[in-house]
Amino acid sequence: MPAMTAVDADARAGAGTPGEAVGPLVRGVAVLRRLTEAGGTLSPSALERATGLARSTVDRITGTLGRMGYVRLDGRDVVVTPRVMELGNAYLAALRLPALLDARADALADELDESVSLAVADRDGIRFIHQATRRRALSVSFRIGDLLPAERTAPGALFATEWTEPDWTRWRERRAEDVQDASFPAVPPRAQPTDDSSCTASSPGSPADSCADSFTERVERARRDGWAVDDQLIEPGLVAVSVPVRDPGTGRVACVASVVSHTSRHSAADLRTSLLPRLRTAVKAMETDLRTAPAPEPGPAPAGLATWTTASKHELGRDFVESLARGLTVLTAFGEGRSALPLTEVARATGLSRATARRALLTHEHLGLVAALPDRTFTLTPRVLDLGFPPLSRTTLPRLAEPHLRALADAVREPTALAVLTSDGEEIQYTAGAGTSRVLTVRITVGTRLPATATSLGRVLLADTAAPPSPTLTEVRSQGYALVDEELESGLRSIAVPVRDRTGRTVAALNVSTHAARRTLRDCVHDLLPALHATADHIQRDLHTASRFTHVPPS
């Protein structure tokens, strides 16, 4: 039997679409999923082939997603943007586990000098909700939101200790239909078909390839031991040990914490003896954190969404798919302190009518993004992370800033740059930039270092770190920008503003450079500074969204 792809799975789900489902929402979610599986970038023609939708439909959907800020056009490609992460952020905030436990996971990774992850169950798979990855030449490349088959992971065996018979039936059906794990794009495909009970690794000849233990046997061992080991189940060389973190109220597995390494550093047996005791200690502390955490204070609900979608529809006409936009905004009604909401609360938070909110929720339930609870409330599922989150969960500040730098350079017709302060505080290092086509222009390549005190970028960065600040830096801090006139080089003028993280700390600086013959000092302040501030706001908005549950390196 041929492998079932994710597109096939969507088509099969579509065959049983309930009559009240919102068709444009179903198709829009399919487009976001295909973009995610492709790493965040696809051309419209590739999206047409991947989804089976007409080109005009793809164009209308991507245009609507672009209006929402979820995608952008880069040449001929459609690219997901950090704004789409607000959907996954809504799920992670409602879940609360990353906010409560990620500090423990990060500390354990630092202590062991190994990668540590947190994962939750997603039907017959496991999905990562936090990653603390070591930066090495050979390192684990899984991302927050990645979905793995349960039988090829240590967390999967622990989650399966709580499976019911229908869960096992669904697992067997999936294994029979997808023998090569084609519906799990984050893992290497199996090299050859295996039976349902196999624990075969992804390539013949690996240690796990000849393992006699079936998945069911590993589940029973996990039930007995209270922990599980992945001995190269995903791919040769990758090993992990996992311990469940239990919900203090129910005693069920809330998530699973894992330490991940490779065989050149630890064998599977070594994981049990050297790393498992420390992992268990960390998990015990995590469970204490869950037990003692105060009840969440509901954060502010989104506002004005229905008004915004209506205005966009009036402005763009048929090119804006209002039902898609409204359906996706329903997901953002959830969040911290709003993990389970009745229909009336979803309608109130989004400004949508009860009928519109209900149809969107039914559609999301059909797509596996929302679950209906017995008390007539709804909650988000881990599958919301399928919507653009994984490709962006490993982004960096320079990568995030680049499209904004290009837009600024095109608007002012001057080169722009992003820089950070070096560890000694003496120099700046350029991390991103965008040039122009002028004959006389500033060309400074990424990686270049310059004295911090002689540059506008450096003065902005020093203004928040130097103690005590000089009169010049005090003025920069007060006015919110730095203007340097021909101090680094004759004829070169530049003006810079700070880029701040979610805490308000300056993590980078953004500037525009020009020649003294082109713009006066007054021109720099009156013409360039507003555009600089607007661009910094765009970068900060993306940074704040992307860094809510992921680490965004400044360089």
Side-chain angles (χ1 to χ4, degrees), residues 440-516:
L440 182 61
T441 188
V442 179
R443 299 190 188 277
I444 300 177
T445 59
V446 170
T448 298
R449 293 189 175 197
L450 294 174
T453 56
T455 63
S456 61
L457 292 162
R459 290 180 186 177
V460 164
L461 293 164
L462 290 172
D464 274 4
T465 59
S470 66
T472 298
L473 296 181
T474 298
E475 182 183 10
V476 169
R477 181 185 297 179
S478 172
Q479 64 190 15
Y481 69 90
L483 178 59
V484 171
D485 182 26
E486 302 188 76
E487 294 184 36
L488 183 66
E489 184 175 330
S490 296
L492 178 62
R493 285 176 177 156
S494 66
I495 185 168
V497 297
V499 175
R500 304 183 188 277
D501 64 12
R502 292 176 59 86
T503 67
R505 182 174 62 95
T506 297
V507 292
L510 166 71
N511 87 339
V512 172
S513 298
T514 187
H515 190 273

Side-chain angles (χ1 to χ4, degrees), residues 5 118 168 190 209 234 306 323 345 408 423 528-529 531:
T5 67
L118 300 176
W168 282 104
R190 295 178 186 270
D209 196 38
I234 290 292
S323 56
E345 288 299 319
L408 176 60
S423 57
L528 299 181
L529 185 58

Side-chain angles (χ1 to χ4, degrees), residues 101 104-105 107-109 111-112 116 243 245 257 259 275-289:
L101 306 182
R104 297 281 187 189
L108 181 63
E111 176 191 349
L112 302 179
V116 173
V243 173
V245 180
V259 179
L275 300 186
L276 179 58
R278 284 181 278 182
L279 175 58
R280 279 178 154 165
T281 299
V283 165
K284 185 175 295 186
M286 290 179 184
E287 291 176 338
T288 298
D289 291 341

Side-chain angles (χ1 to χ4, degrees), residues 287-341:
E287 291 176 338
T288 298
D289 291 341
L290 292 182
R291 187 170 56 254
T292 59
E297 290 289 335
L305 297 176
T307 302
W308 178 85
T309 58
T310 299
S312 296
K313 182 65 174 179
H314 287 161
E315 180 181 345
L316 302 178
R318 69 180 306 274
D319 290 333
F320 183 77
V321 187
E322 187 174 18
S323 56
L324 167 59
R326 289 188 164 188
L328 290 176
T329 61
V330 162
L331 300 176
T332 65
F334 298 84
E336 186 173 3
R338 306 193 308 277
S339 60
L341 297 176

Side-chain angles (χ1 to χ4, degrees), residues 19 114 186 250 265 292 309 325 354 373 377 397 423 472 481 487 508:
E114 299 288 356
T250 65
R265 293 176 59 83
T292 59
T309 58
R354 280 174 54 92
L373 302 180
T377 62
L397 181 56
S423 57
T472 298
Y481 69 90
E487 294 184 36

Side-chain angles (χ1 to χ4, degrees), residues 341-357:
L341 297 176
L343 172 60
T344 53
E345 288 299 319
V346 173
R348 182 179 299 115
T350 57
L352 300 173
S353 69
R354 280 174 54 92
T356 300

